[in-house]
Amino acid sequence: MEWFTYPNLPPIAPSQFVSSDPRLGRCPVLLSGRAIKHLGQYRGNSASFRDVLKTLNRLSKEKFTEDNHQLVAGGETFAPIYKAELLDGMYLVYQKDLISDAQGTEKMALRVYGIYTNNKIDTLIWERISRKSDAETPTLTDAQRLEIHDLLTLEKFIPYSESVVKSIWADLDSAFVFDLSPKEQEIIHHPSSCYVIGRSGTGKTTTMLFRMLMREKTPNGLDRPLRQVFVTQSNVLAGRVAEYYHKLDETLAAGSKSVEEIKRIAAENCKQEAQQDLFDLDDENELRIDLPERYSELRDEHFPLFLTFNQLCKLLAADCDAGANTRAPALGGSVPNLVSFEEFLGRYWLHTNHQFTRGLDPALVWSEIIGVIKGSETTVDTPKGYLSQNSYLALSHRAQTTFAKRPENVYGIFESYMKRKGQTGAIDAADRTHALLQGIKSKFRPHPLDFMYVDEVQDNLIIDTRLLRALCPNPHGLFWAGDTAQTISVGCTFKFSDMTASHYRLENADPLVRANKREAVYPKSFELSVNYRSHAGIVNAASSIVDLLLTLFPKSIDKLEPETGLTAGPMPVFFSGWDSTAVGFEKFLNGRGDSPIEFGAQQCIIVRSADVRDKLRDQIGRIACIMTPYEAKGLEFNDVLLYNFFSDSHASHSEWGVVLNSFERAHDQARYAIICSELKCLYVAVTRARNNCWIWDSSDNAEPMKGFWLNRHQIRIVRPGNPIPQLTVLSSAGDWKKTGRELFARQLYDEAMLCFERAGSEFETSVCKAYLRRSQARRAAMSSPAAGKSLYNRAAWLFMSCVGLAPQRRILLCFRLAADCFALAPDYEKAGDVYQDAEEFTLSAQSYRKAGNFEKCAEIIQKYRSYVDDEVAAGLSEVCKLGLIRENKFKNLKSSSLVKSQDELLELLEGYGFHAARVDILLDSGRTKEAAELRVQEGRLIEGIELFLKQDDPSSHQRAASCIISGLWKLLPLRALASIPSDARTILSLAKRLNVRHLNTLLRAEVSQDLDVFQALISKDEAQLRNLYRLHATHEPHLAILCLDDLLRTTPALQQLDVTPLIYVLDEYDRYGELLRGATVRQNLCSILKVQRLFGFEPMMDSDGAPIPDKYRVWGSALLRENSRVELLRCGRAISENADILADGGTLAHLLRSCITQRLYDRIFDLEEKLRYASALRPCLEFALRSQCSTKFCSLSHIDSNPRAFNQRVRICIQQIMILRHLASLPCGHQQAQALRGVQQFWLERLFEVLHPPWYQVGNFHALVPEAIPQFEAALDYIRFWLRDQLYQIDDDRSPLLTHMNILLTTGVMISKFDLPEASRYIWTAPCFTTQRPSFFRTENADRVSIVQDLFGCLMGSCQGRIHRGLYLVEHVLDTGIYINLNLLLSFIEKLVAHTLFETRRWRGDVSLSGLTLPNSWMMEAIQPHGYFSMLRADQGCIRHSRLALQRLLSLVFKEPARVWYDGNQRLHEVSPRLRDAAITRICCALAMIGYNVRNARGEIFEALASVASLEKEPSPLYAAFTKARGWYGRPGRPGRYGFMDAVEIFVQRCHMDGLVQLRHYKRQAWPRHNIQIISFHSFEDLRHRMVYPGGITSIPMLRTVAPATLHTVAGIIHNELLPPAAEPDERTDFNGSLSFATSNERPDAEDAGYEENDNDHAEEEAPLLDLTTTEDLAMELTEEQRVAAIQIQRAYRRCLRRRAALQEAQRKPALRYFISCMNTALGSGIDAKLSRSYMHFFRGPLPHILAFIETVRDLSLQRKDEAKRQCRVAVHTELEKVQQDLTDSNSLFKTFCALMKKLEPNSEVHQSCSIQQLKDIVAEVCNHKERVRVVLGEAAAADSSLEVGVKGILQSFVPRPTRRQPRRPALNVDDEFSWNLYD
């Protein structure tokens, strides 16, 4: 019911429920509390009691006599004091005084002060009372002043009534409505809402309570009771106010009851009070058994309601949680879960960046976070419930005075706090309030309250007041009371001005006000300035502190009227000049007597902090209650001593100094912000005193405040030697006990323990000590969990010690508290025992469960089932089942009735995945086969096989055989590690026990061949593995691969391996690569059993053991698993190290191919790296030269040089190329492709080096015999492809300068040898012809010509001047010093010399070739290209330039070897001398060949050699014959006299694989020469057919035209060379310099030299080069037709790649895979597309997405289920509930989605009917499970886009857009457009 529907309630009228005694007269009688107490003393004397009542009756009727109207003080001027004599000689003291009501009307009344003996009536005191002041009587003692203060200030005057009299007579502990001041009455009678602001002790709570009572008693005209609620933050205050209210109500009701009834009520109250003890005062125990669990369950009988704000929030949270509020985490109504300041300090502050926290007070920061950033008004409308950084920084200066200079740091701390809090799931008070506001706004509508009374409102947040106001929509029903001067508690930044402004805005925004349905109601503010607690001496000092706050920090508190005291009293005493240390204070306390001072129960010492309190107590002992201002807040003491308050202040002396000139000038509030909190603490400390306030502080920090007070005459200074005020006050045990109870209720357990010790209460002392340890444990646990646990344990034993002292009704509670502490220790086992003693069986069972003692937990549930909560019992029973199963305590399961039968137990074990336990039970029951199958299913294969083998029947042995084979494959598939699992050996040994007679033929064969392989693997029998691999390579490739993989697991040490073993090793690698690569091209790869076994995976099974279609599980031992895990991690799928890998067929096929690729790359790259350094490929040059090697540990090959060894080296290179070809066809990444390209380049270079060694003796290209090299012709295709690729990869910008020219030359020569017929089609478009370095250009006739074009033009071009280009290239290299390998350069120059000598004769005719003498390899080099190119047209000048190039190179070698590069990174002077000598010998030989064939060049050659010969004293034996020659011809018979011809012949004699060849035309006569082969010919074509190497690379196409006889003859000669070398010839070379010659023949004459005289002899040598065009740009741009064709080819290739990728992607993505499946089903199902076109739209469109979602959820839930089962076995017991829930949820979800998959799979019956509605119903069912998916599998699974797409396509109605009919387009006129010729 809303407020505006209420009828107009009558105003509050006290007379309606506070009625006077009708027997009294017209003058009201007011009884003081002291008078009522005195009157109660006459309770046993009815005559005296009646006499007092008669006297009061006569006085009220103004029947004054001399006996009852004796003047004591006053007279006519002041309110006189009288005394009335009673029968017993006592005197009743009263006063005639005027009293006023709320309207200000005055009337005469009698105030009765008490009953005294005559000698106790102090006239001086009563005189001051009649004057109502003691200001004019300085002679009064402090005791007299305090007595006056008690009578005038503290006494409450109660109207005399019948109910009062009955209550006194019946001894009813009552509370009475007393007389109030006019201001207080005005507040009570105010008809609308109000704010009441007053300092401590001004009566705020009294007015609130009386107004609440009077409103309750005033008839309201409603048909229901009013709903009034009193709310405060303190549980103690709420309890006291509720108690006081009920006493008032009880007293008022006493008037209508008889005295006997009242006595019975009093007796019952006494009994209840006698039973009350400290446990009733536990402020932490907010449990209210009188309240329901939810706010919505409150009934009329619960009102008026008194509760704390936390209790109210708990009630609201219970409703909001049920309504699923959306902002904060679940509130749960649990108050202890809120983050407190202590927790903030221990768990957040210490972990915050010190750059933020440095110099900041954590208490102030906490207040700022809770009160401003999260608790201010503007945060209500923010989306996150707190201010953004910009909003916070934009706050005005007044709003953040403390942090005005460092707001960024505060917000940084706040962000850190929020981050850590979010990680733990904790909430704070502001979070809770925001959540409740949101819940009330969106979900829960609370029943409105009629009236809301909020006391100590300053302890709340502003947003808390918004929440409270929301509960009471009655604008006239709000009462807010508080005092901002006492806001010293952490988390409080409250100001009344903020609250009133907030409520003002809220009222104006009310919809009813805005709609003019009611007027705005603004609460009226009242100020209470009269302090009823303290006298003026203390009030004035406290008021001056408020003045300081208002002056220095005007916005920190609310400005009120000055606070006043009704009576004067002793000013605060300031002890100055004393020793302010603890020792000095102790001496001061002991200095007045022999025994130390002991303070009374109503005295207290207040210190600044808890640390100071502890130190002081250690120093002076337990002589008094010692508290901090925060602890003392809300308490009252007669006397208070402030100890070193300023000395221990957080503020410095300079900061305190601001108070001295605070009223003179403005100050920086931010700089002195600390003073604000210090002054508030000081105010609280001073106002705790009723009578005396003593200040002990002699520090410098105290001087400013002391001076301030002295200037205002508000303190009295006591120095050493001055009279000291009376400090000691004796208190009774009852007083100590009362104070102890009050302190205990305030959670001040240490001080309460002191009080109970003084009172002699052993039980209460023990309770306080236990509570103290518990509170210490809570604080310690914040920062040190270990310390907290220890203290909790000690607290628990202290509570246990209370059991023996406690009354019978509290024994169980002591046990309960002890058990709580044991649980927090945590010692759950002990907690369970003690909870059982406390008869808290639910908690006992829960504690045993937390301890992991499932046996005791089950016992408690069984034994005390009726006492254990049903829900708890059900949950614990389930977890006990699992716990006892884990511990193999099956008997306990049966004894505790948790399991009723063996089948139920087996089912339970199966559900949790405890197969081992199931096996044991099955074995005990004789069910061996079932047990064996379970062993196999759970992975304990060996035990399963053993159980099968124990059964002597065919089915068992066949099953055992299958398990043996599958087990061996699981343990020994292709794997990453070489170690053999021990289980594999065990299984192999079990195979021997198989009875082969029980096996069928096929199984027997399979077992036999598989066991042979595994036996060889385990025994590491390499010979057997090789035999088995050859045996199974054709029909059982998976076995062959397994054998080879193990053989090649470790790459052999190839470096010192001989050629023949190396060839065998490479054959195995080639076969291994071929077999593995073949596996990648198989269709349906994952469905092949042999592939599954080889690579270690198997189909995945569902919970019923049936295979899940297209789902696989990878075994842990397989190489595939590790590779797949790495691949999946790279793709962003998190796979734990031990988790199984589950994948669909498409994904697994991709992973499988990736695994094979990676395996091949690893193995082949490892082989390649080691093969690079194999000595078989690197013959030792020194050994080849000298037949011995001087290097001690030479790593090169030392074998005789012969054609066989040469061709074997070539074969090894060819084998490696064929091995590398396997990688080229496999998918690979960019890095792998780059690495492979680098390897290919290396082996092309290595092949070149093998074919063109640095020395003739080692071999040459034309010694190659392809027929002797298997796979040579097949390798040519790969070599050509690599060469083409390498040519196009050569990039001037990226290639290193040291290798660039070498790569170009190597590539060019190799192309000219292996790909010459096709080279002209592609080389001239290569990038290297268009982008080159500047140094690669030469200048000819002002034209820049590329030497790269020169190179390729020379090697294979058809342009003019090919030889000229080559010569220009050599000259440019020698001129510029371009980096080029000397061996490469020499090979190129030798090629040029051969072609030059041949072509200079060839162009004049065939006959001119007669007499040409060259090495055989040179001759073949010169003749062979003529099959593809026309005559080269070398002119006479080419010979001269060739000779000059060689002479220049020779000069460089001798004179400037540092300019000559031998290889990529070494210059000639840095290499071995033998390498240098070989190079020099080759140069000399080339020059000799020129001179041998060109007579006129001999002189220059001789001079060139003679000039360099002088540079060395002892030339190398290799070239000594050339440099020491004395002429062209030697002289026979004269040793040491030999010539160049002799040197040439002897040089050629050394080369077994090359020799001199001389051409003789058949028309010319042949002169036989020693060591020179004569070849006669008829024509050039005849010569070419004779000389071209049959089987040579470029001649292979021509072999078809060669006569068979010729081919056979030549081939036979070549093959004979491959036989073992024959004996050495007779001639021997002495490397010391002497030569021996054959003497059988005479030395020939000039004609015999082979060069025939002609007229142009000199012209050939001296003529310059012909003027041929060598500047032609050979680089070619693609034609437009070629470009278009290339683009089309590229597009087609990309389309092919996209289709291929799409198919692969379809296999990996479920939606695409199901789309293909649906398409195939639609094509093959026979569904009439015309009749079911709409359904086919769904079937082929959205349905695959739905199926993909179902599959994803099914697979994830199965994984979750399997993981939950595993966790059931391995998880710690504390996680079992979560594991159980995960297992239940995942299992249920898995079954649900399996059923959905069966309904919707493409071939299901649902699709046969083509019912769209049925399809929609099933899809809607899928949709309904989305929330379950989110809860079980997480947000990511529920947010799968496949579901959204599918639902959108099937469930959402499709509205096609209207289409307009397009106008007919005009026909296009193309007659003129295509009239041109297509080929123009």
Side-chain angles (χ1 to χ4, degrees), residues 23-31 51-70 82-86 91-96 108-115 160:
R23 292 170 293 182
L24 296 179
R26 65 181 182 87
C27 186
V29 176
L30 303 177
L31 301 177
D51 181 50
V52 174
L53 296 181
K54 290 179 180 179
T55 301
L56 292 174
N57 188 16
R58 287 193 294 268
L59 292 175
S60 69
K61 296 178 179 178
E62 298 184 357
K63 296 180 179 180
F64 302 117
T65 63
E66 292 182 0
D67 294 334
N68 65 13
H69 201 58
Q70 302 177 33
Y82 299 94
K83 62 180 179 180
E85 185 177 0
L86 301 176
Y91 290 89
L92 186 145
V93 179
Y94 65 94
Q95 179 186 32
K96 295 179 64 176
M108 183 64 66
L110 298 179
R111 295 183 184 273
V112 179
Y113 286 96
I115 301 174
Y160 179 88

Side-chain angles (χ1 to χ4, degrees), residues 863-912:
K863 190 174 182 180
Y864 304 102
R865 182 63 188 83
S866 59
Y867 299 98
V868 180
D869 181 83
D870 292 339
E871 185 176 353
V872 173
L876 291 179
S877 296
E878 289 300 319
V879 78
C880 282
K881 292 177 185 179
L882 178 56
L884 292 173
I885 288 173
R886 282 159 52 103
E887 297 170 3
N888 292 326
K889 296 181 178 179
F890 304 118
K891 293 182 179 179
N892 297 90
L893 281 171
K894 296 180 180 179
S895 63
S896 59
S897 301
L898 295 176
V899 174
K900 297 180 180 179
S901 65
Q902 188 180 79
D903 290 338
E904 182 183 352
L905 177 59
L906 289 172
E907 183 179 354
L908 193 65
L909 293 172
E910 180 182 7
Y912 287 130

Side-chain angles (χ1 to χ4, degrees), residues 580-593:
S580 60
T581 64
V583 176
F585 185 60
E586 183 181 14
K587 291 180 179 179
F588 166 76
L589 295 178
N590 295 333
R592 302 187 60 189

Side-chain angles (χ1 to χ4, degrees), residues 805-1002:
L805 303 173
Q808 184 64 33
R809 67 186 188 87
R810 290 303 190 185
I811 291 178
L812 295 181
L813 181 57
C814 291
F815 278 128
R816 165 67 185 270
L817 293 172
D820 290 342
C821 291
F822 278 125
L824 292 170
D827 184 352
Y828 293 118
E829 186 80 23
K830 185 63 177 177
D833 295 339
V834 180
Y835 275 131
Q836 189 174 357
D837 294 336
E839 298 182 7
E840 295 286 350
F841 300 113
T842 299
L843 293 175
S844 177
Q846 290 174 328
S847 296
Y848 284 133
R849 187 267 162 274
K850 291 178 181 178
N853 193 332
F854 300 101
E855 186 176 353
K856 284 189 176 182
C857 180
E859 181 183 350
I860 290 291
I861 294 173
Q862 180 196 18
K863 190 174 182 180
Y864 304 102
R865 182 63 188 83
S866 59
Y867 299 98
V868 180
D869 181 83
D870 292 339
E871 185 176 353
V872 173
L876 291 179
S877 296
E878 289 300 319
V879 78
C880 282
K881 292 177 185 179
L882 178 56
L884 292 173
I885 288 173
R886 282 159 52 103
E887 297 170 3
N888 292 326
K889 296 181 178 179
F890 304 118
K891 293 182 179 179
N892 297 90
L893 281 171
K894 296 180 180 179
S895 63
S896 59
S897 301
L898 295 176
V899 174
K900 297 180 180 179
S901 65
Q902 188 180 79
D903 290 338
E904 182 183 352
L905 177 59
L906 289 172
E907 183 179 354
L908 193 65
L909 293 172
E910 180 182 7
Y912 287 130
F914 285 88
H915 302 298
R918 288 181 66 200
V919 169
D920 294 338
I921 295 176
L922 288 172
L923 289 176
D924 293 341
S925 304
R927 299 155 68 175
T928 307
K929 287 186 180 181
E930 295 180 51
E933 287 291 348
L934 281 178
R935 287 295 192 207
V936 173
Q937 290 178 14
E938 68 177 347
R940 300 171 68 173
L941 195 63
I942 295 175
E943 297 178 23
I945 294 172
E946 289 178 339
L947 291 175
F948 278 125
L949 292 175
K950 288 180 180 180
Q951 306 297 308
D952 191 17
D953 60 272
S955 60
S956 296
H957 277 254
Q958 289 177 9
R959 182 69 179 119
S962 300
C963 291
I964 287 172
I965 297 302
S966 62
L968 288 172
W969 276 110
K970 282 185 179 181
L971 293 170
L972 298 173
L974 283 185
R975 59 198 190 281
L977 301 177
S979 59
I980 302 296
S982 60
D983 287 349
R985 303 179 190 275
T986 305
I987 293 177
L988 199 62
S989 65
L990 290 175
K992 299 177 181 178
R993 295 166 53 186
L994 280 173
N995 190 339
V996 294
R997 294 177 301 174
H998 292 323
L999 305 182
N1000 57 49
T1001 304
L1002 293 177

Side-chain angles (χ1 to χ4, degrees), residues 1178-1225:
R1178 300 187 300 159
C1180 178
L1181 185 59
E1182 183 178 357
F1183 185 85
L1185 295 172
R1186 302 176 56 206
S1187 297
Q1188 60 182 359
C1189 179
S1190 61
T1191 305
K1192 187 175 183 180
F1193 298 105
C1194 183
S1195 61
L1196 304 179
S1197 175
H1198 295 160
I1199 60 173
D1200 294 333
S1201 299
N1202 55 67
R1204 179 184 180 86
F1206 170 76
N1207 280 276
Q1208 284 181 327
R1209 287 195 294 273
V1210 176
R1211 179 179 179 179
I1212 291 172
C1213 292
I1214 294 299
Q1215 283 182 295
Q1216 180 61 16
I1217 289 171
M1218 294 300 288
I1219 290 172
L1220 290 173
R1221 86 185 192 277
H1222 300 307
L1223 301 182
S1225 62

Side-chain angles (χ1 to χ4, degrees), residues 1424 1439 1573:
Q1424 192 165 337
I1439 297 175
Q1573 180 183 0

Side-chain angles (χ1 to χ4, degrees), residues 145-159:
R145 292 180 184 276
L146 293 176
E147 179 66 15
I148 295 171
H149 169 63
D150 288 345
L151 292 171
L152 288 180
T153 304
L154 302 181
E155 282 295 343
K156 307 301 180 184
F157 289 89
I158 301 159

